[in-house]
Amino acid sequence: MNFTDQTAVVTGGTRGLGRAITLALLEAGASVHATWIGNEEAAAALTDAAAPFAGRLHLHRFDVSDEAAVEAFWEKMQALPDGVQVLVNNAGLRRDAIAPMMSSADWQAVLDTNLTGGWLMSRGAVKNMMGQRYGRIIFITSPAGNHGFAGQTNYGASKAGQIGLARSLCKEVAKRGITVNCVSPGFVDTELLDDLPEDVRKAHLASVPQRRFGKPEEIAYAVMTLAAREASYINGATLEVTGGL
């Protein structure tokens, strides 16, 4: 896959799946603008890891659910001579609790980041991409959006919303050469699994037919596939990368 001379934006791009996607795009020749919000150590580590890529990594610290911050970011991107070709909506938040015990604040925070943040970033991307008559927008969603998991009503709702958003948006922008798709990772060995109780972690592992968790690099490969120029007739799709879950 060759992304030379392309510019990509990866939200939540400094750790976990986002880090793997950022590094894969850099290795394929892209310039990558990775957003982050709180983990300075992860941002510094990614900067070190990207040292061989000739200054093609650019970090931006802001909250994707902050409309003013998102608009300011896209104003900067609008100044790029060749625009942005790829947006990966990866930034995500999880605050689990069973519904009777979930606070309104935790419900809203997850919806704000996962769903509203993805919409705000996609709105800016479409404006940037329309003049080029080309673009790739990809949402990192979850099987929780289809199957649901106990303790994740907020997360499941946000991920189902992403799929609906992508399917509607793809119909609006298809004539402009912009595709909108989702990648739905199963259980991937990142920090999102680290805070799960051991019995829950074992139950998740037992539910995967391949009897292992995925690797971030395997998700990055799926993202790269949908982001490629050759993926021009894949639109409104959700690619499951779950080990058969």
Side-chain angles (χ1 to χ4, degrees):
M1 299 181 190
N2 187 355
F3 287 82
T4 302
D5 298 327
Q6 292 195 45
T7 297
V9 173
V10 182
T11 66
T14 61
R15 57 185 181 140
L17 294 182
R19 173 189 169 95
I21 294 165
T22 294
L23 289 174
L25 285 163
L26 288 169
E27 288 173 1
S31 294
V32 181
H33 293 260
T35 81
W36 65 290
I37 186 171
N39 192 321
E40 295 183 0
E41 183 178 347
L46 177 63
T47 299
D48 291 342
F53 299 115
R56 287 187 280 111
L57 173 67
H58 311 275
L59 298 184
H60 304 265
R61 187 174 189 175
F62 67 93
D63 184 346
V64 296
S65 69
D66 181 334
E67 184 171 4
V70 171
E71 289 182 351
F73 169 78
W74 282 111
E75 284 181 12
K76 294 177 184 176
M77 296 299 99
Q78 203 66 36
L80 297 177
D82 298 318
V84 172
Q85 288 72 51
V86 179
L87 166 65
V88 183
N89 285 306
N90 168 75
L93 181 65
R94 217 190 72 219
R95 292 185 181 176
D96 295 352
I98 61 172
M101 303 300 293
M102 182 178 291
S103 69
S104 297
D106 284 349
W107 167 271
Q108 196 62 52
V110 171
L111 269 290
D112 285 347
T113 295
N114 299 0
L115 185 54
T116 302
W119 174 71
L120 289 171
M121 289 298 295
S122 297
R123 183 176 67 174
V126 167
K127 292 176 181 178
N128 187 283
M129 295 170 176
M130 284 178 68
Q132 309 171 54
R133 301 191 71 85
Y134 177 83
R136 300 283 183 263
I137 298 175
I138 299 162
F139 287 84
I140 305 301
T141 184
S142 166
N146 289 324
H147 306 299
F149 297 110
Q152 292 189 339
T153 54
N154 51 0
Y155 188 76
S158 72
K159 294 301 178 178
Q162 286 179 337
I163 294 170
L165 191 167
R167 287 177 175 167
S168 296
L169 182 58
C170 80
K171 293 175 172 60
E172 296 179 1
V173 299
K175 290 182 179 179
R176 295 282 186 165
I178 302 169
T179 64
V180 188
N181 294 290
C182 298
V183 171
S184 180
F187 300 115
V188 183
D189 202 3
T190 68
E191 66 271 12
L192 281 178
L193 293 182
D194 291 344
D195 62 349
L196 293 176
E198 187 59 27
D199 59 333
V200 175
R201 191 179 164 90
K202 287 181 179 178
H204 285 336
L205 183 60
S207 71
V208 181
Q210 289 188 231
R211 292 298 186 268
R212 68 173 178 87
F213 293 134
K215 301 174 183 177
E217 294 76 15
E218 293 171 313
I219 310 306
Y221 177 80
V223 171
M224 298 278 284
T225 299
L226 293 178
R229 288 189 179 275
E230 293 81 359
S232 54
Y233 205 59
I234 305 174
N235 203 13
T238 298
L239 175 57
E240 294 191 0
V241 190
T242 65
L245 188 67

